[in-house]
Amino acid sequence: LFPESIATEQQSLGLVKRLLAISVSCITYMRGLFPESSYGTRYLDDLCLKILREDKSCLGSLQIVKWIQGCFDALEKQYVNFGFYALSSNPTVTEMYQFKFKYKNKVPQMDISSNHREFVAGLCSKDVKHASRLLLRTLYLLMQDLGPLPNDITLSMKLLYYNHVTPKDYQPPGFKEDGSPGDLLFAGDPINLKVGSVSTDFHLMKIRVTTEKKRVKKADSNLIQKNGPTEISHQGLDCEEDEEEESTEINLLNLAFSQEEVIGPEKKRKVSEPEKLPLNGRK
């Protein structure tokens, strides 16, 4: 399922792509967005993974596969910094899944961090497999603890880029310039949940989930980000966890839509999105 070794940048890129595809597949499967026919089955040791495939009988799953492929293009070019998948019940966001990507020069070690546990070791398949399995298992367990979604749910995605390397006119296949500037609101009392991260000599990938506190049945206390921001802007998301504001409420997600007030119009983060996907007829 994963490369035997991560000795080259291409092998590392392949790992990140697979982790992204499996994670998004996990989210859509565990949240009941598409029928069983839209998934294939793979195993990572004792962990049964459901992987999205191009199911021509389900236009929604076909669209998500295209979104993932578009993100792959931005990853290959080392442009994308953040990817967001948001499940919304108008006008409020119900759940948001954040994928953060970093690109780095080769160094002679691997740093894997999840739930405050760190492992530093050589780049062998065992280490990478352990980190990947831990990340996916944590995500699966978290999905099982989330309450049911509203009936009128819409799935949307946004990609944020590293401005200093991304051409102004760049758009991944299937994406367009973000045409819906405005505030995305969470109803109730949202919390940030840190799923984990996997790091190689060439890439770093982190996953977080934001949802309403009342919708989490029983979250591991190690997953809850106690010092989460009250506002998540595109600029703020570029900060490390220990630099974020000391607050536990996230009542407003201001996804770069009023960045000009904070960092000026010349540094506004480039954002793109595909068409939103209504999921009224999900399984």
Side-chain angles (χ1 to χ4, degrees):
L1 188 61
F2 295 120
E4 288 298 320
S5 64
I6 314 294
T8 68
E9 186 173 356
Q10 280 303 114
Q11 290 171 332
S12 177
L13 176 63
L15 171 68
V16 172
K17 284 181 175 181
R18 291 186 186 187
L19 282 173
L20 174 63
I22 294 171
S23 298
V24 174
S25 297
C26 164
I27 293 165
T28 61
Y29 182 80
M30 298 298 289
R31 304 311 283 137
L33 302 187
F34 305 118
E36 189 77 26
S37 61
S38 297
Y39 300 88
T41 301
R42 299 288 297 274
Y43 287 88
L44 182 62
D45 296 335
D46 63 334
L47 188 61
C48 178
L49 305 173
K50 295 291 185 177
I51 313 297
L52 272 170
R53 59 187 178 187
E54 294 182 299
D55 178 13
K56 294 182 179 180
S57 66
C58 181
L59 295 179
S61 64
L62 278 175
Q63 188 63 46
I64 298 299
V65 171
K66 290 181 180 179
W67 291 7
I68 295 172
Q69 291 171 344
C71 192
F72 283 176
D73 185 82
L75 279 168
E76 291 170 3
K77 294 177 170 64
Q78 298 192 357
Y79 292 164
V80 65
N81 182 197
F82 282 96
F84 295 92
Y85 290 83
L87 288 167
S88 306
S89 179
N90 288 331
T92 59
V93 177
T94 303
E95 296 170 7
M96 187 174 73
Y97 301 88
Q98 309 169 35
F99 295 83
K100 181 176 183 177
F101 305 100
K102 283 189 177 182
Y103 315 95
K104 52 188 177 178
N105 296 325
K106 190 176 187 301
V107 292
Q109 67 176 19
M110 181 174 181
D111 179 14
I112 304 167
S113 176
S114 177
N115 300 345
H116 303 292
R117 296 188 293 272
E118 295 187 356
F119 306 83
V120 178
L123 283 176
C124 67
S125 177
K126 182 179 179 181
D127 297 320
V128 175
K129 195 173 183 179
H130 173 76
S132 302
R133 184 172 60 246
L134 182 61
L135 179 75
L136 295 173
R137 190 180 298 276
T138 302
L139 185 59
Y140 264 77
L141 290 174
L142 177 58
M143 294 295 97
Q144 294 174 9
D145 285 338
L146 293 178
L149 291 169
N151 292 326
D152 58 334
I153 204 73
T154 298
L155 178 62
S156 59
M157 181 185 182
K158 294 182 186 293
L159 294 180
L160 286 67
Y161 304 90
Y162 288 102
N163 278 0
H164 66 287
V165 295
T166 307
K168 291 183 178 180
D169 60 350
Y170 170 76
Q171 295 294 343
F175 283 73
K176 61 182 181 179
E177 184 176 353
D178 179 24
S180 56
D183 294 333
L184 297 180
L185 299 175
F186 262 103
D189 182 19
I191 57 172
N192 267 337
L193 302 171
K194 298 181 292 183
V195 178
S197 65
V198 173
S199 179
T200 75
D201 284 347
F202 305 94
H203 298 88
L204 170 67
M205 174 178 165
K206 291 184 178 182
I207 302 178
R208 295 184 191 174
V209 178
T210 306
T211 187
E212 297 174 51
K213 190 173 182 179
K214 66 180 181 181
R215 303 188 67 254
V216 182
K217 298 176 184 177
K218 51 176 182 177
D220 185 336
S221 60
N222 288 328
L223 298 181
I224 299 175
Q225 183 184 334
K226 296 181 179 179
N227 293 328
T230 54
E231 258 187 21
I232 302 181
S233 70
H234 288 170
Q235 179 72 3
L237 282 166
D238 213 15
C239 300
E240 294 301 321
E241 294 173 9
D242 57 356
E243 295 175 346
E244 292 170 340
E245 297 294 330
E246 294 184 0
S247 175
T248 58
E249 297 181 0
I250 316 167
N251 293 325
L252 168 65
L253 273 88
N254 185 0
L255 294 174
F257 305 131
S258 62
Q259 286 189 94
E260 295 184 15
E261 299 176 5
V262 181
I263 58 175
E266 71 281 357
K267 293 186 179 180
K268 186 174 181 179
R269 183 72 70 91
K270 176 180 172 64
V271 186
S272 60
E273 64 177 1
E275 294 295 331
K276 292 182 174 60
L277 185 63
L279 298 170
N280 296 335
R282 69 183 192 278
K283 67 172 184 176

